[in-house]
Amino acid sequence: MNRSRARYQQKLTTAEEIASRLQSGDLIRSDIAAATPIALYHAFCGYVKDHDLHDLVMETSLELSPFGCYTDPAVMAKMLGMSNFSSGYARKAIARGQADFFPAYYRDMPCLHPRYRPADIFCAVAAPMDGHGYLSFGATASTIEAQLYSARRVFLEVNPNMPRTFGGPVIHISRVDALYENDSPLPVLPPTVLDDQSRAIGQMIAAEIPDGATLQLGIGAIPDAVGLALKDKRHLGIHTEMFTTSMVELMECGAVDNSCKPIHRGKSVTTFAFGTRRLYDFIDDNPAVMVMNVDYVNDVRTIARHPGMISINGAVQVDLYGQVAAESFGSRHISGTGGQADFVRGAVESEGGKSFIVFHSTTEGGGASRIQPVLEPGSIVTTSKNDVDCVATEYGIA
């Protein structure tokens, strides 16, 4: 047994044993989507519930499971849940005043988190260790590197379902405090259901995208519809916050080859990948996909270096000033800022670039228009009127 393997065995334990190392006042932090060690987070909440601890904080991002810090009053009394890009579980607790929200541009989080308070515990999901003693974080780069170098303790879930990727952070086993093994499937996004409106918007925007453009697609039915409408294009590139299954299809059919990009030519660049099992299999050991730190990927200067940069993002409501609300409806919290403002600005500054804010013209069922004279009172402005380029609904592009 080599030295790295011996260290691995010495540090190998269970999620429950790692949870028993919690102390009052600890700040626990992880990262987005597939990076979150769901089993360990549930173990943390279970241990806090059953023991005399207090004043803990557990930070989350795009929560994929009902963690007790958002759903269990006995846990919430001892541990504050704090989200920076909320899903339904955190959103409801925040609305009740039982959890908190960390507002920030996604690109700034690697420097903001250590500055405002370094984590006592950083934990994430990693791919199995290689022969040199290094573990890859696979589908996610995001803020991980900054957390690894500022956290007091590092705990990992080692999961054979996590792909190994290129460009992102790695950690040597000597710097890991403890780890456990878990072969549960990685979280996946349910298949997108494309309605006629989404397809119509996708076709309109696809007609605006020339061969050789570089793409950023947000999350949701309309960005997916745009991706699927681009299969007849050629020499497209990808520089995006989130890598999606529609991008896999574009690479497999040959529409994306990244041959026109001035940087990372031949490579699709993202800061995290989240979608289907097919997506995880595609990026595994794939040198054509680079998973890189968010403070680089989402930097406006990096984005703007791509001629013909095309940015496509959603909205909750847009007003006649051109202000875009994508995080709240009035004062009702929905989500975080993410990278929308960065990619909108980067596309506008790109030579020949275009930015599209896309949405259905009305709320579900046609109850109300999403375009209003002014935003609903209390709405958070995600993207300034000064940055907005094009707005698209099923009725056309303005």
Side-chain angles (χ1 to χ4, degrees):
M1 182 182 295
N2 65 30
R3 188 175 182 184
S4 293
R5 180 54 56 183
R7 281 175 164 168
Y8 183 99
Q9 291 301 324
Q10 290 168 0
K11 297 179 179 187
L12 182 60
T13 182
T14 66
E16 290 71 25
E17 193 281 328
I18 292 174
S20 71
R21 304 185 191 189
L22 284 176
Q23 301 172 359
S24 291
D26 274 349
L27 169 62
I28 306 158
R29 189 176 284 140
S30 184
D31 212 301
I32 197 165
T36 306
I38 292 174
L40 182 56
Y41 263 35
H42 280 299
F44 282 149
C45 292
Y47 187 82
V48 167
K49 181 176 182 177
D50 295 336
H51 291 80
D52 186 20
L53 297 173
H54 56 85
D55 297 325
L56 292 96
V57 178
M58 192 160 85
E59 289 193 12
T60 62
S61 184
L62 197 61
E63 305 77 25
L64 302 173
S65 189
F67 300 129
C69 62
Y70 296 119
T71 60
D72 189 331
V75 177
M76 290 188 283
K78 303 175 182 181
M79 173 187 280
L80 175 68
M82 182 178 289
S83 178
N84 55 51
F85 196 84
S86 309
S87 71
Y89 301 113
R91 190 180 303 143
K92 293 174 183 177
I94 291 168
R96 295 192 302 264
Q98 295 175 311
D100 211 342
F101 177 72
F102 188 97
Y105 289 115
Y106 190 13
R107 69 168 189 268
D108 290 339
M109 288 181 185
C111 66
L112 286 177
H113 279 157
R115 184 189 303 168
Y116 108 88
R117 183 180 170 187
D120 297 292
I121 293 169
F122 176 73
C123 48
V125 181
M129 186 177 71
D130 67 15
H132 303 286
Y134 287 91
L135 298 103
S136 161
F137 295 93
T140 307
S142 188
T143 71
I144 287 177
E145 186 172 276
Q147 310 292 355
L148 293 176
Y149 286 97
S150 61
R152 287 199 304 116
R153 290 172 285 169
V154 175
F155 300 133
L156 299 182
E157 172 184 305
V158 178
N159 192 319
N161 295 302
M162 178 63 78
R164 291 187 68 85
T165 58
F166 296 87
V170 295
I171 188 171
H172 193 265
I173 186 62
S174 61
R175 296 186 53 241
V176 178
D177 291 277
L179 49 82
Y180 69 100
E181 295 178 338
N182 183 11
D183 63 359
S184 296
L186 297 181
V188 297
L189 277 175
T192 302
V193 178
L194 298 184
D195 54 38
D196 291 340
Q197 292 174 321
S198 297
R199 289 191 184 93
I201 298 169
Q203 292 290 342
M204 281 189 291
I205 293 177
E208 298 285 320
I209 299 175
D211 291 344
T214 298
L215 307 175
Q216 176 261 328
L217 303 178
I219 190 171
I222 299 175
D224 279 354
V226 174
L228 295 175
L230 293 172
K231 289 187 174 183
D232 292 332
K233 302 290 183 177
R234 289 295 175 263
H235 306 304
L236 298 175
I238 291 174
H239 183 94
T240 189
E241 176 177 297
M242 175 176 159
F243 191 82
T244 65
T245 302
S246 64
M247 296 175 184
V248 173
E249 297 195 15
L250 290 174
M251 291 183 72
E252 288 185 332
C253 77
V256 166
D257 62 12
N258 293 293
S259 61
C260 296
K261 292 171 63 176
I263 54 175
H264 308 297
R265 185 165 292 174
K267 316 285 186 183
S268 289
V269 173
T270 185
T271 197
F272 74 98
F274 184 38
T276 60
R277 183 66 241 177
R278 176 187 174 198
L279 178 149
Y280 298 132
D281 291 340
F282 179 82
I283 67 173
D284 184 36
D285 201 31
N286 188 339
V289 179
M290 302 283 284
V291 185
M292 305 179 79
N293 296 343
V294 70
D295 48 359
Y296 173 77
V297 174
N298 284 30
D299 189 306
V300 172
R301 293 165 295 184
T302 305
I303 298 164
R305 288 179 66 185
H306 297 82
M309 184 74 208
I310 304 294
S311 167
I312 300 168
N313 291 281
V316 175
Q317 195 175 70
V318 176
D319 69 15
L320 297 185
Y321 291 110
Q323 299 181 114
V324 176
E327 302 169 58
S328 74
F329 183 79
S331 58
R332 180 162 62 88
H333 170 78
I334 295 174
S335 188
T337 302
Q340 179 179 124
D342 304 326
F343 278 94
V344 167
R345 187 68 204 167
V348 169
E349 292 189 10
S350 158
E351 182 181 351
K354 296 179 184 178
S355 164
F356 296 90
I357 299 296
V358 297
F359 53 97
H360 294 168
S361 62
T362 62
T363 56
E364 190 172 350
S369 175
R370 294 185 185 274
I371 301 174
Q372 293 290 330
V374 294
L375 296 178
E376 190 77 15
S379 293
I380 296 169
V381 176
T382 303
T383 301
S384 161
K385 68 187 189 316
N386 299 337
D387 290 329
V388 171
D389 183 12
C390 301
V391 174
T393 74
E394 68 272 24
Y395 290 108
I397 299 172

